[in-house]
Amino acid sequence: MPCATRRRSPARATRSTRQPGAQSPGYGDPEPNVEEQRRRNIAAVADRITELADEHHAEPVFVIGEVRSRTDLAETLPQRTGDVLVQVQTGSRADGSDLERIRDSIQETLAQRRLEEMDDVAERYRSGAGTGLAVEGLTDVTAALRERRVDTLILGDLGDTTVLVGDDPSLVAADAGALSEMGSGSERVCRADEVLPFAAVVTGAAVVRMDERLTPADGIGALLRY
């Protein structure tokens, strides 16, 4: 019996296994978009921190987070905010969110800054003594407050000392005669440790509570602007 010849069927098309190229759907790296969004987020945080720091005159400003984000934020902030920024090392993702450790770290930083501030004020006070840029005692300090010349008010041990306060919170005096000269129509007797810091703040002065490294007369001193 003659053999029949069978024809082969046309080869079926097979699914391509080629990887998508530049013109293929799904091509592209999402990383640039992620980085751009990250930069925008950091810029937004920097703007908000600066807004709050300016509004509340915050100093220092503590930042907690992982190292890269903290560093990028510090570089994005304007100089006035960056100058008061303190990066807290505790509290990154690697360390976890240990609130007690964060609190201790902040307290330690604040204590160190306070010591440095007292050292600086004490040195400036000693340098200014006898030059007219540093005064002590209730009479001279209250006079400087009334004249709005105080740059930094130095609080020592005032005890129960009282002073007189006039119509305006900055009108403080050790005696009634000084208030009369300023044209004050009223006077109140108040504790010095309560009203003198307030008088300093309303006239734009800083207030520093001093320890035993300085003992000004009457427990009060001041660094003057001029």
Side-chain angles (χ1 to χ4, degrees):
M1 182 177 181
C3 294
T5 302
R6 299 181 62 185
R7 292 187 178 185
R8 291 185 176 181
S9 301
R12 294 183 179 178
T14 57
R15 182 176 296 178
S16 172
T17 56
R18 291 180 300 170
Q19 296 297 319
Q23 304 303 320
S24 303
Y27 176 81
D29 186 356
E31 185 65 23
N33 292 332
V34 173
E35 281 300 306
E36 178 60 25
Q37 185 59 51
R38 181 177 179 277
R39 283 191 292 270
R40 290 179 182 177
N41 290 342
I42 289 202
V45 172
D47 288 344
R48 182 57 174 158
I49 288 176
T50 300
E51 178 184 351
L52 291 172
D54 289 345
E55 179 182 352
H56 299 285
H57 307 287
E59 182 181 349
V61 174
F62 292 95
V63 175
I64 302 168
E66 55 97 9
V67 177
R68 184 188 173 196
S69 295
R70 284 192 279 111
T71 302
D72 290 347
L73 177 63
E75 293 174 351
T76 306
L77 289 168
Q79 183 174 351
R80 68 181 184 279
T81 311
D83 287 345
V84 298
L85 188 74
V86 176
Q87 298 189 38
V88 179
Q89 304 301 322
T90 302
S92 67
R93 291 181 179 178
D95 293 333
S97 55
D98 188 333
L99 294 180
E100 186 173 350
R101 291 179 62 190
I102 293 172
R103 189 181 300 109
D104 290 345
S105 180
I106 290 175
Q107 291 300 327
E108 182 179 346
T109 300
L110 289 174
Q112 182 61 37
R113 289 174 68 93
R114 182 171 181 273
L115 291 175
E116 293 172 356
E117 181 182 43
M118 287 193 294
D119 284 339
D120 176 65
V121 168
E123 182 178 349
R124 290 167 56 199
Y125 182 84
R126 295 187 184 101
S127 298
T131 68
L133 293 178
V135 295
E136 63 180 338
L138 283 174
T139 299
D140 289 344
V141 171
T142 53
L145 284 169
R146 293 194 303 273
E147 296 165 1
R148 297 175 178 262
R149 292 192 298 131
V150 175
D151 174 79
T152 304
L153 183 69
I154 302 169
L155 294 176
D157 183 10
L158 283 164
D160 296 326
T161 302
T162 59
V163 294
L164 299 175
V165 183
D167 301 328
D168 185 275
S170 65
L171 293 181
V172 289
D175 60 81
L179 288 183
S180 298
E181 292 176 4
M182 297 296 294
S184 178
S186 64
E187 60 184 50
R188 294 175 291 122
V189 178
C190 303
R191 285 180 61 97
D193 58 359
E194 294 177 354
V195 297
L196 295 186
F198 189 67
V201 171
V202 298
T203 57
V207 179
V208 174
R209 182 166 292 280
M210 188 62 63
D211 60 10
E212 64 278 358
R213 71 193 67 195
L214 268 186
T215 55
D218 299 330
I220 193 78
L223 297 172
L224 305 184
R225 299 186 175 110
Y226 56 89

